[in-house]
Structures are given as structure tokens and as C-alpha cells.
Amino acid sequence: MKKYLEKLSQHESLSQEEMLDAAHLMFTDEITDSEMAAFLIALKSKGETADEIASLASVLRKKAISVNGQFDQVMDNCGTGGDGSQSFNISTASAFVLAGAGIKVAKHGNRSVSSKTGSADVLEALGVNLHLTSQEIEERLEAIGIAFLFASKVHPNISRIMKIRKELKISTVFNYTGPLTNPVQLDSQLLGINKREMLDLFASVLDKLGRRRALIINGAGYMDEASLQGTNSMILLENGKKTHITLNPEDVGLPYYTNDMIRGGDARENADIMLRILQGEKGAYRDTVLLNAGLGIYANGKTDNVREGIAIAKESIDSGRALQKLEALIHSDTYKKAGVM
């Protein structure tokens, strides 16, 4: 680790091989907590490259539990967090709309870190079992078309890293790796980030991680979700090619809403918001989910444009299929015991 610290202190980037080695060292007793903290600070001070972030994410995936099922075109939709918007759980609600539209979703998430309620918190409030084995995750992906991968459960070896992160009390590269470390091999991804200047960087990272197609978004008001408040900036990654896109509500036939209108609350409040959306309640919450789910459908490649993606998202909700996916996930343990799964 010493040679990597010296290199970073000179503001020199690590090669892919060097970063892979450094990341593996974080899971050993060969380095001290102080060395790991120094490494994270030096990396942040220099500025992380796509190779460095992708290499770290690759090692974190290898250290996660194995989900080995052979699934066709699985996607994830999640953000990095940290935007300070206190919005409701947009990507979690959107995941069920995506699943209702026939897209297989491996939803990776955790408890709250920078917001009031994380995806794990709201799903737990709804009665979803968070503590699944790899086999149970595979069963749900196969039978239901959506599974939740609780980050704390699928990444059992990062407790030391998490401890050091908390002690540092500053953002590090680990603030951005959560959406990159899904142990399921993803074909496509919708990724929200809270810093517009990092769109191109994360498009490169997802390319290096093997995504066939992905949409990287920074929303109006610098949210890590698409927003109906104004202009959303994004990059479409398709087979290694990057296309820069801006999108406003009127471009897709949706009304304007300020970000204050989509604030959430605690886990129970956000669970209630999600249920109301999936049951068909109209308004700012629903339209925000329609936008994000429509973008997810577009990111997956199921449609050639966002307007059509939004139309498919509407049908997923209004037909009741999105709600059925949530109910199936809530009752999956019961179904399994009954031999339905």
C-alpha cells in the first residue's frame, strides 16, 4: 500500500492492476486502518478515475455473495444518494413499475445513509424480507421478475471499510460505489448521481463494468433522480458510445413540479406514498415515478424513446401489474412454503 500512497500523493493515478491490488488489500490484515483511511483521502484529493472506480467496484462485487442464476437482460435502477433533497423513495417505487412492464429487476439498496429513508427501510416497512440467501434472490428473480438485494446482507465483508468511512466523516469513493456493486451481472442500468460534472466519468465506469446500455442521470436541482422541476442532464451509454441528452418535463408531456412537492418522510410515510402511487393515485409523486420508470424502460432498451417508456410505465401502474409485483415480493415466503415458487 505504501507505494500506492506515494503515487497518489504525487497526484498520479493508479493503473487498473494497481487499483485491483489496492482494493484487495482492503480486505486483508496487511494494511492498518490508518493506511486505508490515508489511501481513501489521497484518492479523493487526486480525483478518482474511471479505471480506479471500476476496479474497486469489481473487487467489491467479487467479495459479495454469489448470485449465479442465468438471467436474460437484468437491470438495476438506483442512485448514489447524497443530494439532500429528502425526496420519497423514487427509484424503489419505479423498480416495481419496471418489473410490471416485464423488465427483470435486481434492485440493490441499503438502509438510509444520507436521506431519511433508504430503500431497505421502506421495503421492510411494507413487509418485504430483506435477509435472503443467494438462492432465494435467484428464485425471486426467476418467479417474480424482481428481487431486492440488501447491500448489508450481500456484502458481508465490508464492515471494517464501513467503520473507517464513518470515522472519516467525509465523502470518499465509497459514496459512489453502492450502485456499481450489485452481485447480479447486469445488462442495463439507470444510475442517478448527485454531481452533474461526474456524468461522463460514471458513463465510462459503467462501460468498463460491461453494461450494454445505461442511462446516467443528474436531475433538476442536482437530484440523483430525474426531476420534473426543470432540466435533467444525462448520458446514454450504448455499446460503448456516449450520447449527451437534456430533458425537460414538456419534452415528454409531463407537468412541472418543484422538488419540494416530492419530499418524503420516515419509512412508514414513504411506504404509504409508494402504495398510493402503485394503487393509481395521481399527482406529483406518480408523475415523478412515471418519468423515472419511463427513463428506466428507455435505459433498458425496451423502447426507443422516453415518451413511449412513460406510456409503458403508465400501463404498468394502471393495469395493476406494478402493484402485483410488490405484493408478490411481500408474500414470496408464503408462496414458497405453499409450493407456488
Side-chain angles (χ1 to χ4, degrees):
M1 184 60 79
K2 182 181 177 182
K3 62 181 179 181
Y4 302 141
L5 283 170
E6 289 176 347
K7 191 170 183 179
L8 291 173
S9 70
Q10 297 300 317
H11 283 256
E12 296 179 23
S13 296
L14 302 184
S15 68
Q16 182 178 2
E17 293 74 19
E18 289 172 330
M19 189 64 192
L20 286 170
D21 183 47
H24 279 292
L25 285 172
M26 293 183 189
F27 291 90
T28 72
D29 294 328
E30 295 179 38
I31 62 170
T32 65
D33 289 0
S34 296
E35 285 177 310
M36 191 187 302
F39 178 81
L40 294 175
I41 293 170
L43 194 64
K44 175 185 175 68
S45 177
K46 176 192 69 69
E48 299 90 345
T49 66
D51 273 336
E52 290 165 344
I53 297 171
S55 296
L56 176 59
S58 296
V59 171
L60 290 169
R61 288 188 70 244
K62 287 178 182 177
K63 298 294 183 181
I65 66 169
S66 297
V67 183
N68 298 317
Q70 298 300 310
F71 305 107
D72 184 42
Q73 296 193 357
V74 181
M75 83 172 294
D76 192 3
N77 70 318
C78 57
T80 57
D83 63 11
S85 68
Q86 301 299 315
S87 62
F88 75 103
N89 298 90
I90 298 168
S91 64
T92 310
S94 300
F96 293 100
V97 181
L98 294 171
I103 296 171
K104 206 172 286 291
V105 181
K107 178 71 174 127
H108 186 248
N110 213 340
R111 296 197 184 278
S112 172
V113 176
S114 59
S115 61
K116 286 184 180 179
T117 308
S119 53
D121 301 307
V122 73
L123 290 176
E124 186 176 57
L126 287 163
V128 174
N129 181 6
L130 305 182
H131 302 281
L132 304 178
T133 64
S134 57
Q135 181 180 341
E136 288 169 332
I137 290 168
E138 292 168 16
E139 289 170 349
R140 282 155 177 75
L141 274 174
E142 184 62 39
I144 303 172
I146 184 169
F148 182 69
L149 290 85
F150 183 24
S152 296
K153 178 73 175 180
V154 300
H155 299 285
N157 301 312
I158 63 169
S159 57
R160 181 187 179 201
I161 294 171
M162 294 301 293
K163 171 180 171 289
I164 292 168
R165 280 187 63 194
K166 289 179 180 178
E167 289 174 351
L168 282 174
K169 294 183 174 63
I170 60 170
S171 65
T172 69
V173 65
F174 284 104
N175 288 74
Y176 299 103
T177 55
L180 309 175
T181 58
N182 193 320
V184 176
Q185 184 57 50
L186 303 175
D187 173 72
S188 59
Q189 187 163 356
L190 179 68
L191 170 63
I193 60 175
N194 63 354
K195 293 187 177 180
R196 194 157 294 184
E197 67 272 17
M198 298 178 78
L199 285 169
D200 190 77
L201 173 64
F202 275 84
S204 297
V205 170
L206 291 184
D207 184 36
K208 291 177 182 295
L209 292 175
R211 304 294 185 267
R212 172 187 59 85
R213 189 173 164 105
L215 197 63
I216 305 91
I217 296 174
N218 177 257
Y222 301 99
M223 287 184 66
D224 70 331
E225 312 271 6
S227 163
L228 290 167
Q229 179 170 280
T231 302
N232 298 274
S233 295
M234 56 192 79
I235 292 178
L236 174 67
L237 172 72
E238 185 170 24
N239 298 319
K241 180 185 176 183
K242 300 175 188 176
T243 304
H244 291 256
I245 302 169
T246 57
L247 184 142
N248 290 287
E250 66 266 23
D251 298 332
V252 290
L254 289 173
Y256 277 86
Y257 296 103
T258 67
N259 289 342
D260 286 342
M261 297 175 72
I262 55 170
R263 285 182 177 269
D266 61 20
R268 188 65 258 170
E269 290 172 295
N270 285 6
D272 182 61
I273 290 169
M274 187 185 301
L275 281 174
R276 298 199 321 260
I277 294 166
L278 299 184
Q279 288 166 353
E281 180 180 282
K282 293 180 170 56
Y285 293 130
R286 170 188 163 103
D287 287 346
T288 300
V289 167
L290 288 177
L291 176 61
N292 281 273
L295 286 165
I297 291 166
Y298 174 64
N300 177 260
K302 189 178 178 72
T303 181
D304 293 329
N305 62 77
V306 180
R307 270 186 178 265
E308 188 177 337
I310 290 170
I312 294 170
K314 285 180 181 176
E315 206 272 333
S316 175
I317 294 175
D318 294 340
S319 66
R321 289 198 302 272
L323 181 60
Q324 289 167 10
K325 294 295 183 180
L326 172 60
E327 290 173 340
L329 202 60
I330 291 169
H331 299 295
S332 53
D333 290 328
T334 302
Y335 292 161
K336 185 177 180 180
K337 288 176 184 176
V340 177
M341 283 180 59

